[in-house]
């Protein structure tokens, strides 16, 4: 990374630029090795880390709420006189204490208590307590509230700022952590803090120092509601800073990438022309545009890193094929990697069909390929087969490429930043890096793409090939399974084909396959006149290929499958899909599955056979599937309902683990963040590294590439 010399210093002084703050937590009074050890579980090792350990929420203990004004769900401090105190005997003993303050009464309920406690609550005693009011047998109740007794003539003590609630770890209490952060704040007060976001970028936001003080110890008049919603200016200050840091780290990756050298593909386009001539259709406008964008990239001597987004059925494979032919024509090898074996096989078949007439060999590699067959493919790859198709097994050490010039990764959302990097390393030959084309059928909402994929250029195939008919989606409870089976039977007897998809929430492939086998047996006895096939992930590659071939040739009318058929599988005569337990799947996955039908010119149907009762979220998801077929809208909804980690598969990328920002909640800030990040790059390049180091854990990994 082009680390400029002026901020190598800032690292030794911590990213806040202060010696005191970069000290170990053990420099704080009362912090020994044992406590320091516990803190590392929260990723806290320095005083500065403590300051960036932010509250997840707040409680307001700065005022006493009249009992009559407490509403259900409130967390409040109340003070009242004991009007009743009794132990109720039942399956377990319960101590009930009624408090009143003239405005109303409230009940405290204790399931665990000792004799001292029981005696404390004398009739007439004045008690101050804090808890969440819940509806109970006797009106509003506080279960196990924090409480203390107040002497009759003593003023009731309240806190002088809102109480922060921090994420904790075992063996550490809120109080202890608050004390520590209080000590850290005292250090912060004395320290000079380097603000890497210049005031001119965000004139209306408080400084970093002010923000940290406010968030750890908000004054009593701080708007609790705003804080809970993460809409307070001090939170904005930090959220924006963290999002900028995230984006910068990705942009840096991209910059570094652009510094590498790559092969230049400037052929005549002769091979592509010959292939297009063989096709029974012509490219869509969108396909042509995206192919043009790719061609611009691969004529440069720096490696392409381009994400092609296109809805299910948009024709991404063909776009990849065109790019591949450019590379091959220039004398380079191309590798196409797919996330599942079924999809890889399908690509293998497509490419073989397209490329064989051009005189080009296609090699195959998958984890299940063993022995001699494997060796034969390895030899072919090493000898320079122009096209290699496979699963991630392609990037194992035993695979040696010859002159690899282009890597195509299909269904990108399953791979994270780190996998992208390792692919790149794998393809490196001498000082040349291969170009990379990444294709996803899970369209990433634009704002999110700016953050999560800022290291990539993007192209969108925003047009489907002509002649597709919309899919009608219906949701039915699985109590109507018999009816659906009849419907499948009727469709198949009319010459159409159908999929029956069995799902399971858990990742256990074994269970999923078992469910499919049971369903297969059941449907076979009930639909005797039909040829029914079964396909799942535990079958041998050859078996799967045979079944797929039979289904494609209409020798099987009904295919019972697990979600292995989720991506890519293409049989235009299949017009009906039944998905069992759709509520267990994410929307984007359902959209992928559903995209297996509606691929021909006949009207297609998708039946979501759900298991009642549905949760609210489940209902919402099913409604989205019924109402739209637009992959972008579905991805947006999926993001709202499930969060970015699930949608992007970013658990590996680290994006989902930000300190304060949340890509979904804070989406509306992303435009602003984008603009600010660019200004920083232009006008304050020396701030970039310290900013990224401040926010990104393990930032070194970015520094090394
Ligand atoms: P996806 O974008 O989902 O990967 P595919 O590449 O599998 O889509 O293409 C889906 C189907 O559309 C394939 O049968 C493919 O041959 C066909 N197809 C691709 N491009 C066109 C086009 N321009 N006109 C007609 N059919 C096309
Ligand atoms: Mg595809």
């Amino acid at each position: 990374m082009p680390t400029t010399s002026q901020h190598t210093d800032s690292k030794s002084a911590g990213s806040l630029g202060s010696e005191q703050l970069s000290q170990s937590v053990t420099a704080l009074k009362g912090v020994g090795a044992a406590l320091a050890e516990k803190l590392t579980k929260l990723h806290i090792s320095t005083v500065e880390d403590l300051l960036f350990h932010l509250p997840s929420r707040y409680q307001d203990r700065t005022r006493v709420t009249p009992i009559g004004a407490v509403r259900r769900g409130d967390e409040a401090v109340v003070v009242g006189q004991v009007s009743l105190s009794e132990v109720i005997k039942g399956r377990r003993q319960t101590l009930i204490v009624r408090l009143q303050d003239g405005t109303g009464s409230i009940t405290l309920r204790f399931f665990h208590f000792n004799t001292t406690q029981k005696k404390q609550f004398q009739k007439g005693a004045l008690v101050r307590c804090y808890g969440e009011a819940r509806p109970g047998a006797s009106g509003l109740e506080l279960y196990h509230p924090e409480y203390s007794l107040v002497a009759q003539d003593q003023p009731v003590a309240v806190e002088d700022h809102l109480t922060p609630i921090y994420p904790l770890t075992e063996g550490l209490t809120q109080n202890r952590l608050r004390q520590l952060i209080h000590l850290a704040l005292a250090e912060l007060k004395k320290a000079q803090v380097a603000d890497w976001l210049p005031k001119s970028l965000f004139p209306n936001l408080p400084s970093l120092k002010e923000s940290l003080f406010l968030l750890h110890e908000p004054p009593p008049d701080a708007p609790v509601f705003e804080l809970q919603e993460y809409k307070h200016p001090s939170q904005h200050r930090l959220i924006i800073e963290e999002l900028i840091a995230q984006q910068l780290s990705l942009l840096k990756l991209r910059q570094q990438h652009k510094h590498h050298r790559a092969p230049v593909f400037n052929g005549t386009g002769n091979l592509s022309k010959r292939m297009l001539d063989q096709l029974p259709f012509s490219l869509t406008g969108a396909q042509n545009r995206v192919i043009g964008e790719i061609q611009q990239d691969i004529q440069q001597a720096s490696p392409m890193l381009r994400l092609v987004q296109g809805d299910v059925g948009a024709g991404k494979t063909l776009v990849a094929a065109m790019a591949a032919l450019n590379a091959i024509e220039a004398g380079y090898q191309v590798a196409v990697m797919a996330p599942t074996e079924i999809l890889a096989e399908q690509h293998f078949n497509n490419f073989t069909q397209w490329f064989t007439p051009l005189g080009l060999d296609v090699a195959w590699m998958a984890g299940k390929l063993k022995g001699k067959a494997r060796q034969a493919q390895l030899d072919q790859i090493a000898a320079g087969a122009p096209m290699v198709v496979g699963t991630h097994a392609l990037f194992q050490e035993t695979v040696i490429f010859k002159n690899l010039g282009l890597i195509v990764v299909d269904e990108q959302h399953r791979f994270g930043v780190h996998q992208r990097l390792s692919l790149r390393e794998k393809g490196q030959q001498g000082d040349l890096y291969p170009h990379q084309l990444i294709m996803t059928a899970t369209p990433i909402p634009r704002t999110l793409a700016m953050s999560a994929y800022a290291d990539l250029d993007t192209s969108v195939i925003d047009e489907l090939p002509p002649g597709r008919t919309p899919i009608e989606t219906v949701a039915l409870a699985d109590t109507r399974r018999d009816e659906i089976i009849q419907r499948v039977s009727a469709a198949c007897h009319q010459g159409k084909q159908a999929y029956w998809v069995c799902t399971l929430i858990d990742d256990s492939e074994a269970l999923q396959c078992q469910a499919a086998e049971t369903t297969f047996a059941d449907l076979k006895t009930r639909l005797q006149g039909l040829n029914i096939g079964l396909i799942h992930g535990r079958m041998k590659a050859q078996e799967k290929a045979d079944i797929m071939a039979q289904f494609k040739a209409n020798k099987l009318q009904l295919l019972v499958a697990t979600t292995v058929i989720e991506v890519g599988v293409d049989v235009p005569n299949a017009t009906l899909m039944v998905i069992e337990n759709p509520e267990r799947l994410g929307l984007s996955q359902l959209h992928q599955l559903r995209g297996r039908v509606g691929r021909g010119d006949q009207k297609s149907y998708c039946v979501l056979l759900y298991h009642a009762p549905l949760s609210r979220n489940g209902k919402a998801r099913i409604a989205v599937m019924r109402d739209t077929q637009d992959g972008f809208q579905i991805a947006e909804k999926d993001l709202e309902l499930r969060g970015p980690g699930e949608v992007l598969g970013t658990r590996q990328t680290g994006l989902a683990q930000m300190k304060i920002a949340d890509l979904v909640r804070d989406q509306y800030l992303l435009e602003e963040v984008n603009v600010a990040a660019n200004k920083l790059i232009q006008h304050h390049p020396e701030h970039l590294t310290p900013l990224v180091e401040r926010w990104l854990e393990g930032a070194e990994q970015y520094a090394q590439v």
Side-chain angles (χ1 to χ4, degrees):
M1 188 179 77
T3 327
T4 44
S5 57
Q6 64 263 43
H7 47 253
T8 35
D9 306 343
S10 66
K11 190 158 186 189
S12 56
S15 59
L16 285 177
S18 149
E19 297 283 348
Q20 288 113 297
L21 300 181
S22 63
Q23 293 182 92
S24 155
V25 281
T26 50
L28 296 175
K29 213 174 123 203
V31 183
L35 184 51
E37 174 68 33
K38 278 179 200 151
L39 290 170
T40 58
K41 297 227 173 73
L42 296 170
H43 305 285
I44 296 171
S45 56
T46 65
V47 176
E48 180 174 323
D49 294 339
L50 271 173
L51 294 170
F52 280 96
H53 189 69
L54 297 164
S56 48
R57 60 192 191 91
Y58 297 91
Q59 294 174 343
D60 187 355
R61 305 176 186 222
T62 62
R63 70 201 94 216
V64 173
T65 306
I67 291 173
V70 175
R71 298 285 164 262
R72 88 188 255 182
D74 286 355
E75 290 182 354
V77 178
V78 296
V79 177
Q81 257 176 343
V82 175
S83 63
L84 172 130
S85 165
E86 61 179 353
V87 172
I88 298 181
K89 303 220 190 306
R91 225 158 20 120
R92 59 177 172 179
Q93 292 202 338
T94 311
L95 172 62
I96 301 273
V97 179
R98 171 106 15 108
L99 294 186
Q100 57 182 35
D101 69 350
T103 68
S105 71
I106 199 162
T107 303
L108 320 184
R109 193 178 282 270
F110 299 88
F111 299 110
H112 313 280
F113 54 93
N114 53 34
T115 3
T116 328
Q117 272 176 309
K118 205 167 70 185
K119 284 197 188 127
Q120 276 178 331
F121 296 111
Q122 295 284 343
K123 195 164 176 186
L126 198 56
V127 179
R128 165 190 185 277
C129 54
Y130 180 86
E132 184 190 340
R134 310 189 208 179
S138 58
L140 287 180
E141 300 191 347
L142 306 175
Y143 291 6
H144 280 268
E146 293 169 38
Y147 71 91
S148 56
L149 294 179
V150 185
Q152 295 292 355
D153 45 359
Q154 182 193 318
V156 175
V158 287
E159 307 270 334
D160 50 11
H161 46 74
L162 299 181
T163 311
I165 308 294
Y166 294 99
L168 289 179
T169 184
E170 212 179 307
L172 190 68
T173 62
Q174 288 292 347
N175 273 335
R176 188 72 184 108
L177 191 54
R178 276 178 213 138
Q179 285 164 4
L180 292 177
I181 287 177
H182 191 73
L183 292 175
L185 287 170
E187 295 297 323
L188 177 63
K189 203 168 219 157
K190 291 182 275 178
Q192 282 284 347
V193 166
D195 225 330
W196 306 118
L197 280 196
K199 189 84 187 156
S200 61
L201 282 185
F202 295 98
N204 298 325
L205 292 182
S207 72
L208 179 64
K209 198 165 170 173
E210 288 167 308
S211 302
L212 289 172
F213 273 109
L214 187 128
L215 293 179
H216 287 295
E217 298 187 341
D221 59 351
V224 186
F225 183 72
E226 245 177 63
L227 285 166
Q228 308 289 32
E229 300 284 304
Y230 286 82
K231 293 267 160 63
H232 192 278
S234 295
Q235 287 165 323
H236 275 176
R237 172 64 170 74
L238 295 177
I239 289 169
I240 285 176
E241 191 171 318
E242 182 167 33
L243 289 173
I244 289 178
Q246 287 281 350
Q247 209 174 97
L248 287 176
S249 76
L250 290 174
L251 286 174
K252 248 193 252 174
L253 272 180
R254 165 183 172 143
Q255 233 180 28
Q256 289 149 22
H257 193 57
K258 292 281 169 202
H259 279 127
H260 293 303
R261 291 200 333 111
V264 176
F265 305 149
N266 297 295
T268 55
N270 193 21
L271 280 178
S272 327
K273 276 195 213 84
R274 280 171 56 201
M275 185 183 137
L276 286 179
D277 288 344
Q278 302 169 29
L279 292 176
F281 49 76
S282 49
L283 297 174
T284 63
Q287 282 172 317
N288 268 320
R289 178 172 41 74
V290 172
I291 291 169
E293 287 164 2
I294 294 169
Q295 271 164 353
Q296 290 228 333
D297 289 352
I298 57 186
Q299 286 168 12
Q300 312 295 320
S302 75
M304 164 172 78
L305 197 48
R306 184 169 287 279
L307 176 71
V308 173
Q309 305 185 42
D311 209 341
V312 178
K316 294 183 290 293
T317 322
L318 209 48
V319 168
M322 292 295 120
L325 291 176
N326 281 294
I328 293 169
E329 199 178 59
Y332 287 89
Q333 195 172 39
V334 178
V336 176
M337 177 170 84
T340 67
E341 199 162 324
I342 285 209
L343 185 53
E345 273 159 24
Q346 182 156 308
H347 281 323
F348 177 76
N349 293 336
N350 275 329
F351 285 109
T352 307
Q353 194 192 341
W354 288 333
F355 287 9
T356 312
L358 305 175
L360 304 172
D361 285 339
V362 182
W364 165 252
M365 183 50 55
K368 288 179 187 154
L369 190 63
K370 297 277 187 305
K372 275 195 193 142
R374 182 185 188 84
Q375 194 52 49
Q377 296 297 323
L378 286 173
D379 293 346
Q380 211 186 332
I381 297 169
M387 185 73 177
V388 186
V389 180
T391 59
H392 54 268
L394 273 180
F395 292 91
Q396 284 163 0
E397 271 162 36
T398 50
V399 181
I400 314 253
F401 290 101
K402 185 171 184 210
N403 227 12
L404 184 62
L406 171 68
I407 299 174
V408 179
V409 182
D410 200 6
E411 311 302 340
Q412 156 66 14
H413 63 291
R414 291 154 186 258
F415 301 102
V417 172
H418 302 293
Q419 279 139 316
R420 290 210 285 276
L421 289 176
S422 70
L423 274 187
R424 193 179 78 193
E425 302 309 318
K426 175 76 191 178
Q428 186 186 355
Q429 320 237 324
D431 65 342
L432 284 189
Y433 283 82
H435 296 284
Q436 264 188 66
L437 186 64
I438 290 151
M439 303 193 294
T440 176
T442 303
I444 322 275
R446 201 179 65 88
T447 42
L448 190 56
M450 283 191 320
S451 282
Y453 288 120
D455 61 328
L456 304 175
D457 291 307
T458 53
S459 292
V460 184
I461 308 180
D462 50 6
E463 180 187 352
L464 293 179
R468 298 274 159 88
T469 44
I471 304 164
E472 191 175 317
T473 301
V474 291
L476 296 174
D478 55 10
T479 46
R480 296 172 66 180
R481 204 161 186 271
D482 290 346
E483 233 172 278
I484 300 307
I485 293 175
Q486 286 323 306
R487 191 161 158 184
V488 168
S489 164
C492 291
H493 281 110
Q494 282 167 26
K496 306 207 179 105
Q497 287 167 278
Y499 294 100
W500 190 291
V501 184
C502 306
T503 68
L504 278 181
I505 188 160
D506 90 63
D507 286 333
S508 154
E509 204 188 15
L511 285 176
Q512 212 182 80
C513 298
Q514 202 180 16
E517 268 161 13
T518 313
T519 305
F520 174 63
D522 174 51
L523 290 175
K524 246 175 113 153
T525 48
R526 298 176 59 171
L527 296 171
Q528 303 231 349
L530 295 182
N531 296 320
I532 306 179
L534 169 68
I535 191 162
H536 60 60
R538 299 204 129 192
M539 290 161 56
K540 294 216 172 75
Q542 190 54 49
E543 275 179 277
K544 277 188 289 185
D546 289 347
I547 295 283
M548 276 322 292
Q550 287 178 40
F551 190 61
K552 225 168 174 158
N554 203 355
K555 289 188 185 134
L556 296 173
Q557 286 88 53
L558 175 60
L559 186 61
V560 178
T562 58
T563 50
V564 291
I565 56 146
E566 169 191 342
V567 276
V569 175
D570 189 30
V571 179
N573 190 48
T575 57
L576 172 60
M577 172 173 281
V578 179
I579 305 177
E580 287 199 80
N581 305 315
E583 68 277 12
R584 292 170 170 177
L585 299 181
L587 289 183
S588 297
Q589 205 181 1
L590 281 171
H591 181 61
Q592 286 283 325
L593 277 172
R594 181 172 62 179
R596 301 309 107 218
V597 294
R599 298 176 87 85
D601 45 17
Q602 309 230 35
K603 179 151 177 83
S604 292
Y605 299 87
C606 176
V607 179
L608 304 174
L609 205 53
Y610 65 84
H611 188 71
L614 285 176
S615 68
R616 208 155 61 169
N617 194 292
K619 269 187 198 143
R621 296 220 302 257
I622 298 235
V624 172
M625 291 309 293
R626 229 178 19 218
D627 297 346
T628 178
Q629 263 186 74
D630 176 327
F632 271 88
Q633 266 187 42
I634 289 175
E636 294 270 6
K637 286 286 176 195
D638 213 12
L639 194 62
E640 252 172 56
L641 296 168
R642 292 199 310 160
E646 294 289 333
V647 177
L648 299 173
T650 40
R651 269 182 249 151
Q652 318 96 299
T653 68
L655 270 167
Q657 302 148 16
M658 290 187 278
K659 289 185 168 69
I660 180 167
D662 174 319
L663 281 176
V664 175
R665 186 194 63 211
D666 306 325
Q667 259 184 84
Y668 70 104
L669 294 171
L670 288 172
E671 293 274 0
E672 227 179 318
V673 162
N674 196 36
V675 172
N678 283 318
K679 283 193 182 152
L680 270 178
I681 292 172
Q682 276 175 25
H683 305 301
H684 307 276
E686 71 285 2
H687 291 195
L688 307 184
T689 304
L691 193 58
V692 171
E693 278 172 4
R694 172 179 296 166
W695 288 96
L696 270 82
E697 229 157 279
E700 327 74 71
Q701 93 211 5
Y702 293 92
Q704 278 160 12
V705 269

